[in-house]
Amino acid sequence: PTAPGTRPGLSAALEASYAPALGLLHATYAAAGASGALREATILLKVWLRQRSVQQAGGVTGFQLSLLLVHLLRARVVTRSMGAYHVFRVVLSFLAKTMLEDHPVALPPPPAGGGGEDEHEHEGEAGQVHAVAAARFGRHFAWVLADSSAGVNYGAGVTRGALRELQEQAARSLRAIDSAALDDAAAFAGLFTTP
């Protein structure tokens, strides 16, 4: 017996829709040649996001930022040879300069071999999936962050206001990093403590 109003089939379907994204994240972090810097940059981004209180209802989540980081890795905006701070800074720069609502993202499929494949192997397919995802979700959602089949939009709950706030917070954080008036400790405190 199930509780009134619950739908076990729906819960199973929702959990199943996240399996490809979790597989992609696992394969990316476990891939041959993956350094700890990518994991550390992900942690820095999640802490930064949490301290900005952008994760409120309708806001971008740490999970979504992790998927965006995988996209940036596959798009060669960040590389595995970068240090954690450099990856963090490049992602902040991307967030500050990119109107995410006008920039649909189609994630690559998880590698079948558990991460040993060339991460750029599916680039031709990505353009097709990108177009399908933009057409399918772009009219209905502020942010398109689609899986490799364009069947699931992981950015569905994010509002336009939250995307603008994220962009503003990223720009403000970059200015703090670049400020010659701040020492490293003050810049760190400004980034990773509540503003």
Side-chain angles (χ1 to χ4, degrees), residues 32-122:
S35 70
L38 200 57
R39 285 184 215 89
E40 292 168 7
T42 303
I43 292 168
L44 289 173
L45 284 164
K46 287 181 175 186
V47 170
W48 172 83
L49 183 68
R50 189 176 308 120
Q51 297 301 75
R52 309 259 118 24
S53 299
V54 178
Q55 285 188 284
Q56 297 175 4
V60 175
T61 66
F63 176 72
Q64 291 163 327
L65 265 190
S66 298
L67 292 175
L68 182 64
L69 179 58
V70 170
H71 165 71
L72 295 176
L73 178 67
R74 299 291 171 101
R76 300 179 182 155
V77 175
V78 297
T79 67
R80 295 185 188 281
S81 63
M82 292 177 174
Y85 175 77
H86 193 189
V87 171
F88 173 74
R89 186 178 169 76
V90 168
V91 173
L92 281 184
S93 179
F94 178 83
L95 291 171
K97 294 176 182 175
T98 305
M99 299 290 291
L100 291 176
E101 59 265 32
D102 298 332
H103 186 84
V105 172
L107 296 168
E117 296 178 17
D118 177 18
E119 63 191 30
H120 307 292
E121 178 180 331
H122 301 282

Side-chain angles (χ1 to χ4, degrees), residues 8 31 45 56 72 84 131 159 167 172 192:
L45 284 164
Q56 297 175 4
L72 295 176
T159 65
Q167 186 176 30
R172 186 177 298 150
F192 299 107

